[in-house]
Amino acid sequence: MWVAFSTPEGSGFFSAVAKDEDGKTSGPNIGSRVSLRFRRAQDAELLRDYGMDGEVIETPGGDYRFRAFIPRNHLMTVLMNLGDRMAYPNFKDSIPEDDIALANACHEAWAVFGDLQEGGPYELG
């Protein structure tokens, strides 16, 4: 799952996958914990007030540089709190002006995902 988010404190992005600290993706314990993966450490810290309580570890050789392993129900809490406190009518416009890298990434993702829609965004059918 990919989540781009915006809070009054700032905006960020994370990926959530069912993977434990040992890297296992199957077995008897898979599913009770998730790995939240971040490109920037600050994005993880923004989620602290929203229920993300895992230790953030740096994994320089990984595809995501920062990770936190949390119980699955804590991910549900984070998502619920982000949704409950959402107060913007347009996500891309809610990204702080000084976070140019995230704003650019979100605009590019919006355009690419727009190609999934037959006729693209704003098609005049």
Side-chain angles (χ1 to χ4, degrees):
M1 166 188 315
W2 285 357
V3 179
F5 63 92
S6 186
T7 71
E9 301 81 24
S11 297
F13 167 82
F14 68 92
S15 170
V17 295
K19 194 172 196 178
D20 65 23
E21 292 92 333
D22 296 327
K24 294 179 183 170
T25 57
S26 63
N29 296 321
I30 199 67
S32 63
R33 297 181 66 77
V34 295
S35 173
L36 301 187
R37 303 166 329 155
F38 304 90
R39 304 284 187 197
R40 309 180 303 181
Q42 70 221 38
D43 295 356
E45 294 308 317
L46 283 171
L47 293 181
R48 295 263 181 227
D49 289 341
Y50 295 81
M52 200 291 291
D53 61 354
E55 175 189 1
V56 177
I57 59 172
E58 188 169 0
T59 55
D63 58 340
Y64 287 81
R65 188 166 183 161
F66 303 95
R67 299 168 193 270
F69 297 92
I70 63 172
R72 184 179 291 261
N73 64 336
H74 291 202
L75 171 61
M76 293 185 303
T77 298
V78 168
L79 294 172
M80 180 186 68
N81 286 334
L82 286 170
D84 188 49
R85 299 179 199 170
M86 183 175 33
Y88 49 80
N90 181 301
F91 172 72
K92 294 184 307 298
D93 289 345
S94 73
I95 299 169
E97 289 181 12
D98 64 340
D99 197 348
I100 296 166
L102 182 65
N104 288 343
C106 287
H107 281 276
E108 288 180 34
W110 179 89
V112 170
F113 281 117
D115 291 340
L116 293 173
Q117 179 175 304
E118 187 177 329
Y122 305 116
E123 176 191 26
L124 300 174

